[in-house]
Amino acid sequence: MLRPRVRTVRVRMLRTLRDQLENSIGDVLAEMDCSVEGSLVELQDAAEEERGLLATPVAHRLAGQLGRSPQAIAEEIVDRQRLPDEIDDVEIVNGFVNYHVDEPAVFRGIVEAVVETGDRFGAREDGRRIVADVSAPNVAKPLHVGHLRNGVLSTALANVFEHRGHEVITDDHIGDWGLQFGNLMYAFEEMGGSEKKLESEPIEHLLDLYQAFNRRESELEAAGKDEEVDALRDAGREWLVRLQDGEERAVELFERFHEVSLARFDETYNLLELSFDHRYGESFYVREGWCDRVIERALESGVAREGPNGEIVVELPSDDPEKDVDEFVLLTADGTTVYGTRDLATIEFREAEFDPDENLYVVANEQDEYFQQLFEVARRMGYDADFYHVSYGLVNLPDGTMSTRAGRIVTARETYDATFERALEIVDETRPELDSAEREAIAHDVALGTMKFEMLKVSRRKDITFDVEEATSFEGDTGPYLQYATVRAKKIVEKAGEEDVPPVPEEPTINDLDFQLAALLGRFPLVLAECEEEYDATPLATYALDLAGLFNTFYAHNPVLDAEANRDTRLALTAATHRVLTLSLDLLGINTLDRM
RNA sequence: GGGCGUGUGGCCUAGUGGACAGGGCAAGAGGUUCCUAACCUCUGGACCGCGGGUUCGAAUCCCGUCACGCCCGCCA
């Protein structure tokens, strides 16, 4: 691998050029006595190549305020402005000011900045401490494609935020408590649970029982047998109470379900190469007294009150005009906790354990309203960290929504298997000379890259329809497209056989494509900032596609190793591109390959 | 009924006030004596759900309306 040659020359990235221009415009506006907000002097990338690299519409925005034409204002600004060295030429078109940059100088600045900073390109330091609630599968249920989206999004966000200087602590908030376990225990005991099946195919068996319970409930409901519905529900509830009271059989069942489920989660996480810092399940908060503590705190602070049947609730304003208040329940009349209790207990615990500046919840958008309520209760109780719900859309299948209750479910594992199988076919076809172990290793990385990129390329609020057929075409906007471009760049640099990335000459000879590629590299830090702002990885995912696409175009038209005069220039550009592509994929949580 | 979210070419999608709305898939036409064609080039295809409004300027902001999804449990 090439190492960067250390240079003493101060490099200037596109970012600082933008800053300089913005400051320069700000200075002029101050002289002209305009009241400006920061946003008035923001520069945008020019819409067209011929109009320069950077442009500002500031004259348009001031036209109303100053009562003069945009054209006249633009002319005055340009007249009085002190321009950075890298600006070659300025023109005014329809009141827009277009700055043409000295392309060779900017090219050199960006490429050298990337080569010198390497893995730290776009990095920052000294951010906040963030605790993120992630993944959160339920015991006794499989990891499905929704968890895949969660895990992939969470990982990418954590990576980006860490790169930007924040400390991120991810906590896999396992669903291992609650009424569903009461129901499940009842089903196991009374509806055909089998220790043998629990041994051989645990999740499948538990899922069967869970679905059987829900099926019976629905059937009784449909038949109008209200008293039997109530009896069934009471039976499930009773098991939860037994568990909470520590009754032997209930605890024994709980431990068994827990054990087999976590073993399966680990297996799948390992396969998908996902990992999180902590895994405190909901049961932890009940059993370690955090629920009791938080209920007490809510009562003492007067945020919660006790109701007529011994339940403890917080009253929140209701959106529904029919109702005055919504009750946020902390303790049921049975004396059991609900999910809201456990989420508050989690907040209490995380404050004591991690003292975060911000709490993130990567949870699907079904729970949007709930999190608004949870955060409101938390604020009333005086937790001073910020709270943010990173809400994301559901993952559907081409034939409709998944539903655990109805039994339509596609597991993460099945999705991987199908994707891997298709990837292996292609590798077998294209790289027959490799041994089968290596072909499988490549197929694995490609399969993971495919699945993960499918989850990241769509902005998080939108639902995804996951179509295995389409995802595994491996062409166009896919993970393998990114991986392939990265391998190409890497191979060129390796084939050059030089120890260091060659320096870019003072006055590099570059064409349009060379420059555009460098300019795109310079945008990388801005893209990361956008991800931070949006709490989304999609800006980075689409950036990586743009970069890979532009590199492929560059690669097809601009010879690197065979270039005559500017071989070193292009080699440095290729090395810089490889670094930014690799860094992008690393942050997205997608593996890069040595060959494919 | 109320709340939240989404609506962009045949299909999927980027884009939260700026200069002719980017990509991808699918369709059609080309491209490998040269760094791996999981690639590249070109062509056709969009009144950005609909109607108003704000603005010099709206896919983007506001109001209304329609469609779809989700939520409105002492379930999670």
Side-chain angles (χ1 to χ4, degrees):
Chain A
M1 201 59 239
L2 300 189
R3 284 196 307 271
R5 177 168 305 191
V6 178
R7 294 176 62 96
T8 52
V9 186
R10 184 171 168 273
V11 289
R12 217 181 252 152
M13 289 177 279
L14 198 50
R15 171 80 233 190
T16 58
L17 179 55
R18 292 170 65 104
D19 289 345
Q20 284 184 329
L21 268 176
E22 287 177 10
N23 291 339
S24 156
I25 294 169
D27 291 345
V28 172
L29 294 186
E31 284 175 27
M32 290 167 69
D33 276 332
C34 304
S35 59
V36 261
E37 295 161 33
S39 64
L40 283 184
V41 295
E42 266 176 25
L43 286 156
Q44 51 193 289
D45 297 327
E48 285 180 56
E49 181 69 18
E50 310 86 65
R51 287 183 180 157
L53 184 70
L54 296 163
T56 177
V58 65
H60 281 282
R61 298 189 187 178
L62 286 169
Q65 189 184 131
L66 296 178
R68 298 162 55 196
S69 77
Q71 189 71 16
I73 297 167
E75 280 166 13
E76 181 169 350
I77 290 172
V78 170
D79 213 38
R80 302 171 78 142
Q81 190 177 14
R82 281 198 50 220
L83 292 171
D85 296 343
E86 288 91 338
I87 299 303
D88 245 6
D89 189 23
V90 184
E91 64 171 354
I92 300 167
V93 181
N94 300 327
F96 289 89
V97 184
N98 299 316
Y99 299 94
H100 293 260
V101 303
D102 176 347
E103 297 190 354
V106 169
F107 174 95
R108 180 163 163 267
I110 292 170
V111 170
E112 302 227 317
V114 173
V115 171
E116 282 187 23
T117 50
D119 290 349
R120 302 293 299 157
F121 187 51
R124 305 186 105 194
E125 284 168 10
D126 299 326
R128 292 162 295 163
R129 177 180 298 159
I130 299 169
V131 174
D133 195 292
V134 304
S135 193
N138 288 317
V139 161
K141 291 186 208 164
L143 283 163
H144 54 68
V145 287
H147 295 112
L148 178 65
R149 184 177 196 179
N150 187 314
V152 170
L153 173 61
S154 297
T155 300
L157 281 180
N159 291 342
V160 170
F161 274 75
E162 277 175 355
H163 194 71
R164 299 294 279 179
H166 307 290
E167 181 190 356
V168 183
I169 300 162
T170 51
D171 180 14
D172 188 0
H173 191 68
I174 300 274
D176 60 359
W177 201 265
L179 187 54
Q180 55 182 327
F181 293 96
N183 295 345
L184 186 62
M185 284 182 244
Y186 170 82
F188 188 85
E189 292 290 83
E190 309 293 339
M191 296 172 69
S194 146
E195 183 58 38
K196 208 167 162 187
K197 281 188 187 166
L198 198 57
E199 202 68 51
S200 58
E201 40 186 27
I203 299 288
E204 293 76 4
H205 184 46
L206 292 177
L207 187 61
D208 277 348
L209 291 169
Y210 176 77
Q211 288 169 346
F213 184 97
N214 284 301
R215 215 164 31 241
R216 180 173 297 180
E217 188 181 19
S218 307
E219 282 165 9
L220 292 173
E221 243 177 1
K225 298 177 178 170
D226 291 348
E227 61 293 337
E228 288 185 47
V229 173
D230 289 343
L232 186 67
R233 288 178 181 166
D234 286 346
R237 186 168 296 281
E238 206 171 293
W239 273 98
L240 177 62
V241 173
R242 286 187 206 171
L243 176 61
Q244 187 155 315
D245 292 345
E247 193 189 289
E248 194 182 342
R249 179 60 179 163
V251 171
E252 187 186 355
L253 285 174
F254 171 84
E255 298 290 355
R256 283 291 287 144
F257 298 168
H258 205 259
E259 181 190 11
V260 297
S261 298
L262 293 200
R264 182 64 75 86
F265 293 158
D266 284 337
E267 210 179 294
T268 307
Y269 284 149
N270 286 337
L271 180 69
L272 302 177
E273 298 180 31
L274 295 173
S275 69
F276 310 110
D277 298 325
H278 299 284
R279 179 160 67 190
Y280 296 101
E282 288 188 289
S283 63
F284 168 81
Y285 301 100
V286 179
R287 297 170 131 192
E288 300 293 322
W290 291 96
C291 286
D292 299 335
R293 225 159 294 163
V294 84
I295 289 168
E296 199 176 317
R297 175 168 171 165
L299 284 170
E300 276 176 3
S301 60
V303 173
R305 60 164 183 78
E306 189 167 342
N309 301 314
E311 71 275 21
I312 295 173
V313 298
V314 180
E315 290 184 350
L316 295 173
S318 178
D319 289 327
D320 191 339
E322 306 275 308
K323 291 194 291 185
D324 294 339
V325 294
D326 283 334
E327 291 190 338
F328 188 96
V329 176
L330 295 186
L331 199 66
T332 71
D334 297 332
T336 60
T337 61
V338 292
Y339 53 93
T341 324
R342 298 189 288 274
D343 276 330
L344 280 174
T346 304
I347 291 168
E348 175 79 19
F349 170 76
R350 286 175 182 164
E351 185 185 65
E353 182 78 8
F354 304 117
D355 189 26
D357 298 308
E358 181 166 18
N359 291 290
L360 292 187
Y361 293 82
V362 183
V363 180
N365 62 15
E366 308 162 294
Q367 296 186 34
D368 283 358
E369 246 174 325
Y370 164 69
F371 276 106
Q372 284 181 21
Q373 294 187 334
L374 178 69
F375 297 164
E376 173 61 22
V377 173
R379 272 190 292 273
R380 288 190 193 181
M381 289 179 63
Y383 297 101
D384 53 10
D386 291 330
F387 293 91
Y388 188 82
H389 177 202
V390 182
S391 169
Y392 62 88
L394 301 176
V395 181
N396 297 316
L397 303 172
D399 57 351
T401 315
M402 292 195 316
S403 160
T404 315
R405 289 192 182 188
R408 259 203 326 273
I409 195 166
V410 170
T411 65
R413 178 67 204 232
E414 286 166 344
T415 309
Y416 170 85
D417 289 344
T419 312
F420 173 79
E421 197 179 323
R422 179 70 189 122
L424 189 57
E425 277 175 33
I426 291 180
V427 180
D428 285 344
E429 207 172 289
T430 54
R431 303 304 303 263
E433 75 279 15
L434 302 178
D435 64 54
S436 68
E438 186 169 5
R439 291 201 302 267
E440 282 180 18
I442 291 172
H444 171 74
D445 286 331
V446 167
L448 283 187
T450 302
M451 293 167 68
K452 293 185 179 186
F453 194 72
E454 284 300 303
M455 299 292 130
L456 294 172
K457 75 178 182 187
V458 178
S459 52
R460 64 178 162 81
R461 284 180 213 283
K462 290 183 124 168
D463 291 352
I464 292 176
T465 300
F466 190 86
D467 186 338
V468 175
E469 287 301 311
E470 207 172 297
T472 54
S473 73
F474 302 134
E475 282 166 12
D477 290 352
T478 63
Y481 180 85
L482 301 178
Q483 291 170 316
Y484 183 76
T486 309
V487 171
R488 293 277 56 72
K490 182 187 169 74
K491 285 295 183 183
I492 291 173
V493 174
E494 278 176 4
K495 191 162 180 183
E498 291 175 26
E499 200 170 318
D500 294 332
V501 176
V504 178
E506 285 291 330
E507 289 289 327
T509 308
I510 55 174
N511 64 20
D512 251 19
L513 265 179
D514 295 326
F515 178 72
Q516 281 177 37
L517 184 53
L520 190 56
L521 294 176
R523 286 191 58 82
F524 180 73
L526 303 176
V527 172
L528 295 184
E530 205 180 323
C531 289
E532 270 184 285
E533 231 168 272
E534 303 288 327
Y535 294 88
D536 202 354
T538 302
L540 180 56
T542 52
Y543 171 82
L545 276 180
D546 288 345
L547 186 55
L550 191 54
F551 175 74
N552 278 334
T553 301
F554 161 86
Y555 169 80
H557 296 96
N558 290 356
V560 178
L561 300 179
D562 295 338
E564 309 264 313
N566 52 359
R567 177 182 181 276
D568 284 358
T569 301
R570 292 221 172 116
L571 187 53
L573 176 60
T574 304
T577 304
H578 175 247
R579 293 205 170 166
V580 176
L581 275 173
T582 302
L583 183 52
S584 298
L585 289 180
D586 284 349
L587 293 177
L588 292 172
I590 293 173
N591 294 340
T592 51
L593 295 78
D594 290 328
R595 53 179 157 179
M596 64 187 281

